Amino acid sequence: MDDLAVLIEPQIPALRRYATALLRQREAADDLVQDTLERAIRAWPQRREGDLRAWLFAILRNRYLEGVRRRRGIEVGVEALDTVTDAGTDPEAALGARDVLDGIAALPEEQRSVLLLVAVEDMSYAEVAAVLAIPVGTVMSRLSRARGRMRAFLDLAPTIVTGHLRRVK
């Protein structure tokens, strides 16, 4: 069990980031990560050799989608938005970060997942394809559409975002 903890523990911060981006509620994200880790530990003997990170992200995404189907809509919280910036930062940057988060939340789930995994978690297209169980070409297509929608959304947003989405992978 100690070996298992050594393998899984370094993945927890990335899982929390992804879950928080999906749910936008810190407590719900922590619950989702805990559920993911419990499922991974139970299924560990049946796990096939391969990318542990992709396997854990796939479990998290599947648990998230099961919750969406069960509830038919997730309440979007503002708690995660408040953690993006602290009180001492530039207010315009805080608004820009909120615009980005709102834009991500407005994306269709399949585009949101691809964008978060590539841009935030820095996964390769192959890793994302493994997590989502889709071809690499589909990953590229969804990412392109997500970036296009984000550009359009941010062009309509009332504030200027100083950062940009990564264009090359």
Side-chain angles (χ1 to χ4, degrees), residues 18 53 57 110-129 131-132 134 136 138-144 146-147 165-169:
Y18 184 49
R53 184 175 186 211
F57 274 85
E110 65 274 356
Q111 291 176 15
R112 183 179 340 124
S113 289
V114 170
L115 181 67
L116 291 171
L117 292 172
V118 170
V120 177
E121 296 306 324
D122 201 31
M123 288 187 174
S124 70
Y125 294 163
E127 289 174 316
V128 174
V131 168
L132 303 178
I134 58 176
V136 173
T138 303
V139 169
M140 295 167 61
S141 175
R142 288 180 183 177
L143 182 60
S144 175
R147 287 175 173 160
L165 298 177
R166 197 172 73 221
R167 296 178 191 269
V168 178
K169 182 67 180 159

Side-chain angles (χ1 to χ4, degrees), residues 24-116:
R24 294 181 67 182
Q25 291 180 321
R26 190 178 313 139
E27 289 178 9
D30 287 343
D31 290 344
L32 179 59
V33 170
Q34 180 174 340
D35 188 34
T36 298
L37 296 174
E38 288 173 1
R39 170 111 1 146
I41 290 168
R42 278 195 309 267
W44 190 260
Q46 294 85 27
R47 186 179 82 86
R48 290 178 284 186
E49 289 300 316
D51 187 1
L52 172 63
R53 184 175 186 211
W55 183 65
L56 290 171
F57 274 85
I59 293 171
L60 186 138
R61 182 173 181 272
N62 289 336
R63 300 299 296 161
Y64 165 74
L65 291 175
E66 289 170 12
V68 169
R69 288 184 201 113
R70 191 171 42 250
R71 290 184 297 281
R72 285 292 180 218
I74 291 191
E75 296 176 26
V76 176
V78 295
E79 178 186 346
L81 294 176
D82 295 334
T83 64
V84 172
T85 59
D86 61 23
T89 61
D90 179 18
E92 193 169 308
L95 289 173
R98 287 177 185 254
D99 289 341
V100 170
L101 291 173
D102 288 344
I104 290 171
L107 291 172
E109 192 284 323
E110 65 274 356
Q111 291 176 15
R112 183 179 340 124
S113 289
V114 170
L115 181 67
L116 291 171

Side-chain angles (χ1 to χ4, degrees), residues 107 142-155 165:
L107 291 172
R142 288 180 183 177
L143 182 60
S144 175
R145 287 193 306 264
R147 287 175 173 160
R149 283 180 166 213
M150 284 298 296
R151 276 187 215 99
F153 182 85
L154 293 175
D155 285 345
L165 298 177

